[in-house]
Amino acid sequence: MRTPFVTSTVIRRLALANVVTNIGIVVSGGAVRLTGSGLGCSTWPKCTSDDLVPTSAMPIHTYIEFGNRLLTFVVAIVAIATFVAIRLAKPVRRDLSLLALLVGLGIPAQAVLGGITVLTGLNPYTVMAHFLVSVVLVGLATVLWRRTQLDERAPYLPARPWMRTFVVVLTATAFVTLALGTFVTGSGPHGGDPKAGRTGFDPALVSQLHADIVFLLVGLTVALVILVNVINVGQTARRAAYILLGVELAQGVIGYVQYFTGLPLALVELHMLGAALLTAAVANVVVQIAAPRGVPSDFGSTSRRDRDPFDPTRSQTSLPNP
């Protein structure tokens, strides 16, 4: 018997809220760094050694840093609500439960890493790790959201092994691109605080290396776009490839403009948003192309009941051969 107040629509919206809030905390973390507010709260988990929260006598940087900490609670609440809703729905989707649990467990781990970052005086390597954990959480949240639209119990369109390998290589390249981007940030001027340390690498050199990997990523994505137009993967999968290419091109333009204009704060913040959107686009490609399970929106039955992955009475419509 289905729990009346937990519908597939509720779960999908909560899963989407996970994506939005995790991207939001990336953007707010960028604002903390770019405004030089990284040590606005000088310790952790308290704001200062004497105060748990900011006081009226504290500067604006303290409120910016503390606001980012408060957003962590919003992300956690959304993650917990999503996990509980998935467990209450009938039938229980174990694949979604695991993904929701991983997202939920990643949030306290991220909070602790953020505390270590503060306690180490914004060590650039802990800042880099802090961002990369956020990237992983955005990716997991996106996979969770997209899989709420697929049915693990239904016949599914299997990915060719070589296509799966290709997407794995593309995903690894995207992660390396983001990781090298953190080295660019850790070597540049925006450290989060005037006293924050830098990696010591030549910013021009790491920027060039980052750009080289970006070109490789774009090349792989162009190849993916060609492949999904040659083989039968469905409109949803093709759209995922096009979205990824569009995000990469936009992110590349922003990256070059910010580099040649002296890293203006607004463009750097926009580039961080782009990094989070790139992660989400890659995760979408993984779900739609490398590991598609259940009935994609452009295959099989079109009735609402048959498209609902939480409806135990749905029909098991066969899919066309790829």
Side-chain angles (χ1 to χ4, degrees):
M1 180 177 180
R2 185 194 295 241
T3 306
F5 57 88
V6 180
T7 65
S8 58
T9 299
V10 169
I11 292 175
R12 287 174 187 142
R13 289 176 178 175
L14 283 171
L16 177 58
N18 271 274
V19 179
V20 173
T21 53
N22 275 284
I23 291 177
I25 205 164
V26 170
V27 174
S28 70
V32 170
R33 179 172 61 83
L34 294 172
T35 57
S37 305
L39 295 177
C41 285
S42 58
T43 189
W44 187 90
K46 289 185 175 182
C47 185
T48 68
S49 57
D50 298 321
D51 299 296
L52 179 63
V53 300
T55 64
S56 58
M58 294 179 182
I60 186 63
H61 293 306
T62 303
Y63 288 92
I64 294 174
E65 160 64 6
F66 190 74
N68 184 60
R69 294 187 183 189
L70 288 180
L71 185 56
T72 301
F73 290 98
V74 176
V75 178
I77 290 170
V78 172
I80 293 170
T82 304
F83 179 77
V84 171
I86 290 170
R87 298 302 300 178
L88 289 177
K90 302 297 180 182
V92 175
R93 290 277 301 272
R94 288 181 292 180
D95 61 324
L96 301 185
S97 297
L98 177 59
L99 286 166
L101 180 63
L102 290 174
V103 172
L105 292 177
I107 295 167
Q110 178 73 318
V112 171
L113 183 55
I116 294 173
T117 300
V118 171
L119 295 175
T120 57
L122 303 184
N123 180 287
Y125 294 101
T126 60
V127 173
M128 291 154 61
H130 195 45
F131 172 77
L132 290 177
V133 171
S134 288
V135 164
V136 171
L137 290 177
V138 169
L140 287 173
T142 303
V143 172
L144 170 63
W145 171 49
R146 297 304 286 168
R147 282 189 65 85
T148 60
Q149 302 166 20
L150 301 177
D151 187 347
E152 66 171 356
R153 298 168 295 119
Y156 67 97
L157 190 67
R160 292 170 170 83
W162 61 266
M163 177 65 85
R164 185 179 294 112
T165 300
F166 185 90
V167 172
V168 168
V169 171
L170 186 148
T171 302
T173 304
F175 185 81
V176 172
T177 301
L178 294 168
L180 286 174
T182 66
F183 275 93
V184 175
T185 299
S187 306
H190 303 304
D193 187 87
K195 298 179 181 179
R198 303 283 78 201
T199 63
F201 292 111
D202 180 3
L205 178 62
V206 292
S207 295
Q208 183 59 58
L209 181 59
H210 176 59
D212 292 340
I213 301 299
V214 168
F215 281 122
L216 174 60
L217 177 61
V218 172
L220 289 172
T221 306
V222 170
L224 179 66
V225 168
I226 295 172
L227 287 173
V228 298
N229 279 281
V230 171
I231 63 177
N232 180 22
V233 295
Q235 182 180 355
T236 304
R238 284 195 294 271
R239 187 182 303 118
Y242 279 112
I243 290 173
L244 175 59
L245 181 59
V247 171
E248 289 172 357
L249 294 177
Q251 181 75 329
V253 170
I254 295 170
Y256 271 104
V257 172
Q258 71 167 2
Y259 181 80
F260 289 109
T261 55
L263 302 177
L265 300 185
L267 284 182
V268 175
E269 182 73 276
L270 191 60
H271 199 53
M272 290 194 67
L273 172 61
L277 294 176
L278 173 64
T279 302
V282 171
N284 187 38
V285 163
V286 170
V287 173
Q288 302 296 345
I289 297 177
R293 302 192 66 86
V295 183
S297 61
D298 49 339
F299 284 108
S301 173
T302 58
S303 74
R304 182 171 184 178
R305 188 196 69 183
D306 289 343
R307 291 199 311 267
D308 188 349
F310 291 90
D311 192 337
T313 66
R314 64 175 304 282
S315 65
Q316 299 288 297
T317 305
S318 298
L319 297 177
N321 293 324

